[in-house]
Amino acid sequence: MKRNSHKAGSRPLHLWPDGSKLVGYARVSTDEQKTDLQLDALRAVKCRRIFEDKASGANWTDRDGLDRALAAIRPGDRLAVWRLDRIGRSIRQILAIIEELDERGASLIGLSEGFDTSTEAGELHSTMLAMIAHIERRMIVSRTKAGLQAAKARGQRLGRPPKMTQEQVAEARRLVASGQMKAEAVAARYGVGRATMFRYFQSLRLAA
């Protein structure tokens, strides 16, 4: 990631010590939770604007406040958060925000962690986060493969459960073959399409 450079100077209202403007962002997971602690921290560093999100649980796609905060960012600005976990529930999500800010010529500050991507230390931290995210992805893939292999070894069926059991397929086949019911009616009886039902018939013949 490239490093943003700013001129040092006095600290007027809404400016960080190096003269960059701060845009604040706060987030809580439920309507019952309060952003007071986060807002106090963001106001203490003189954020010129503060945006908020209140989303339910793991619904991190609901981020209107964050989108508006990013839209307010200009080159040289910094997005300030109380803690890094306020902008993402995984390292990958946090890195995505850092990358988006970097592309805008801006940076990210995590107040609690002392994290600042515009500094050399912040760049090193971002690189370490990227390495951890890569390792995390590899571990998830490895665990998934191991789980599938273990399930297969135990004889568990992988993938989606069948829409019809073998008994239902055999019964449906008998009904169609006897002419008691039309194929469409038989398929509707078992909640499947006509083509799906005949695919099951074919599978039953192959297994016989």
Side-chain angles (χ1 to χ4, degrees):
M1 294 183 180
K2 59 180 180 294
R3 182 182 175 189
N4 301 312
S5 60
H6 309 283
K7 294 181 180 179
S10 59
R11 187 181 182 184
L13 190 64
H14 307 316
L15 296 184
W16 200 241
D18 61 3
S20 59
K21 297 178 182 179
L22 294 182
V23 174
Y25 175 68
R27 180 187 182 96
V28 291
S29 299
T30 67
D31 289 333
E32 288 73 25
Q33 293 178 329
K34 305 296 182 182
T35 55
D36 295 353
L37 179 61
Q38 299 177 52
L39 295 179
D40 287 345
L42 295 171
R43 289 171 182 143
V45 295
K46 307 298 183 184
C47 288
R48 61 184 174 89
R49 296 183 68 183
I50 298 176
F51 299 86
E52 298 180 58
D53 272 326
K54 290 187 177 181
S56 58
N59 185 20
W60 284 85
T61 58
D62 182 12
R63 47 172 241 175
D64 180 66
L66 180 57
D67 289 338
R68 288 187 288 113
L70 293 172
I73 291 287
R74 299 292 181 266
D77 287 354
R78 297 184 184 182
L79 179 65
V81 292
W82 175 54
R83 284 197 327 231
L84 293 179
D85 62 4
R86 297 302 87 198
I87 60 168
R89 64 194 302 262
S90 71
I91 294 175
R92 293 179 64 183
Q93 290 178 336
I94 295 171
L95 286 171
I97 298 299
I98 292 175
E99 184 175 352
E100 183 171 350
L101 288 169
D102 191 65
E103 290 174 353
R104 294 168 178 259
S107 54
L108 175 68
I109 294 176
L111 299 176
S112 297
E113 298 90 350
F115 184 88
D116 185 346
T117 60
S118 71
T119 66
E120 291 183 357
E123 287 185 332
L124 177 60
H125 292 158
S126 298
T127 301
M128 293 174 64
L129 287 178
M131 292 176 62
I132 293 171
H134 177 69
I135 294 172
E136 183 181 58
R137 286 195 299 272
R138 292 183 60 181
M139 291 175 65
I140 291 173
V141 171
S142 178
R143 287 197 299 266
T144 300
K145 288 183 177 178
L148 291 174
Q149 290 174 354
K152 188 175 181 180
R154 292 194 299 269
Q156 293 183 1
R157 182 185 178 90
L158 304 180
R160 294 181 179 178
K163 294 182 179 180
M164 297 177 67
T165 65
Q166 289 188 350
E167 292 77 11
Q168 290 173 333
V169 173
E171 182 182 2
R173 187 179 176 188
R174 286 194 300 270
L175 290 172
V176 173
S178 66
Q180 296 179 37
M181 297 175 63
K182 290 185 177 181
E184 291 79 3
V186 176
R189 178 178 182 176
Y190 294 102
V192 298
R194 185 177 185 276
T196 299
M197 183 179 68
F198 278 101
R199 281 198 297 272
Y200 279 114
F201 289 174
Q202 181 66 20
S203 298
L204 184 63
R205 284 196 294 268
L206 292 175

